[in-house]
Amino acid sequence: LAKTTQPISMDSYEGQEVNITCSHNNIATNDYITWYQQFPSQGPRFIIQGYKTKVTNEVASLFIPADRKSSTLSLPRVSLSDTAVYYCLVGELMNRDDKIIFGKGTRLHILP
Amino acid sequence: NAGVTQTPKFRILKIGQSMTLQCAQDMNHNYMYWYRQDPGMGLKLIYYSVGAGITDKGEVPNGYNVSRSTTEDFPLRLELAAPSQTSVYFCASSYERTSFVTQYFGPGTRLLVL
C-alpha cells in the first residue's frame, strides 16, 4: 500500500471551503484513493473514493491530478459539525496480506 | 439494518482479567476487522476475517484472539488484560477487500485497564 502524507491539523471558519491535500508519491497503477471522516467518539465513516480527475458526492469533492501523486479533499461551506479527523488511504488490496493502514489523519477544527 | 454493533460501550478491567468484546453486523459482509485507536492516533489493525472460520493477524495481534464461527459475529478476546491495551476498539466490516470498498465501522468500545 502506498504511504500517504497529510497535514496533522487545520483550522477554518464556518462557511469557508476547506481543502485537505494528501501526498502519495508511490501510488500504484491500480490504487484507489479513499477518504474517511471520524467524529469524536465515533468510528470512521467513508466519505469519498476516486481513481483520477474529479469525483463529487453530496458531502465532498475529490480532486486528483493527472500524475495521481496527490489528491485534495474539498469540503464546501463547512460548518461546526465538520470538525473531525479526516483520513486519506491509498491502495488496492488485491492480496490477502494487504492491509488498510489509517495514519494519524488531519484534525480539522472549524471555528465559528 | 443496524449495521455494525459493538458491546459493551465502555469497560474497566483490572490487570490480568479477561474479557470478550462483541461485534455483530447484519449486512451479510464477508470481511470483518478489529482495530484499536490510542488517543490522538490513527487506527491499527488487530485481526481480520475473510469469512466464517478464517481469521488472520493484522499489525498488532499480540495479546488478542479472535474467532469467526458465523458471518455475523466477530468477537475479540483479551486473555490477560494489560495497561497497554487501554484503548478504543472499533469493529468494521466490508463486502469485499479487492476493490477497496467502504468499511462500515461500529461505534467502538472504550476499554480502560487499571
Side-chain angles (χ1 to χ4, degrees), chain A residues 36 38 49 91 96 98 100 103, chain B residues 37 42 48 97-98 100 103:
Chain A
Y36 282 80
Q38 185 179 23
Q49 183 180 84
R96 179 169 170 165
D98 285 341
I100 297 176
Chain B
Q37 185 174 37
Y48 66 101
R97 279 174 66 88
T98 56
F100 218 126
Q103 285 196 7

Side-chain angles (χ1 to χ4, degrees), chain A residues 34 36 38 41-44 46 49 87 89-100 102-104 107, chain B residues 35 37 40-43 45 48 54-59 90 97-103 105-107 110:
Chain A
T34 307
Y36 282 80
Q38 185 179 23
S41 302
Q42 294 186 26
F46 171 89
Q49 183 180 84
Y87 297 95
L89 286 79
V90 173
E92 184 195 12
L93 293 181
M94 285 303 296
N95 300 314
R96 179 169 170 165
D97 290 336
D98 285 341
K99 299 174 180 63
I100 297 176
F102 285 78
K104 293 184 179 181
R107 192 171 297 273
Chain B
Y35 294 89
Q37 185 174 37
M41 305 296 286
L43 286 80
L45 183 65
Y48 66 101
I54 306 172
T55 62
D56 215 338
K57 296 179 180 179
E59 296 176 78
F90 291 103
R97 279 174 66 88
T98 56
S99 60
F100 218 126
V101 294
T102 303
Q103 285 196 7
F105 283 80
R110 189 173 299 271

Side-chain angles (χ1 to χ4, degrees), chain B residues 26-46:
Chain B
D26 62 0
M27 297 173 282
N28 201 33
H29 285 169
N30 291 322
Y31 290 85
M32 296 188 74
Y33 317 81
W34 273 107
Y35 294 89
R36 62 174 286 174
Q37 185 174 37
D38 298 332
M41 305 296 286
L43 286 80
K44 293 186 177 180
L45 183 65
I46 305 172

Side-chain angles (χ1 to χ4, degrees), chain A residues 5-12 18-21 35-42 73 75 80 82-88 103-111, chain B residues 37-43:
Chain A
T5 302
Q6 51 183 125
I8 292 177
S9 65
M10 294 178 64
D11 290 338
S12 188
V18 172
N19 296 311
I20 305 174
T21 297
W35 285 81
Y36 282 80
Q37 174 190 57
Q38 185 179 23
F39 296 116
S41 302
Q42 294 186 26
L73 174 73
L75 304 172
L80 295 176
D82 291 314
T83 293
V85 179
Y86 293 82
Y87 297 95
C88 167
K104 293 184 179 181
T106 297
R107 192 171 297 273
L108 177 64
H109 186 206
I110 304 302
L111 304 167
Chain B
Q37 185 174 37
D38 298 332
M41 305 296 286
L43 286 80

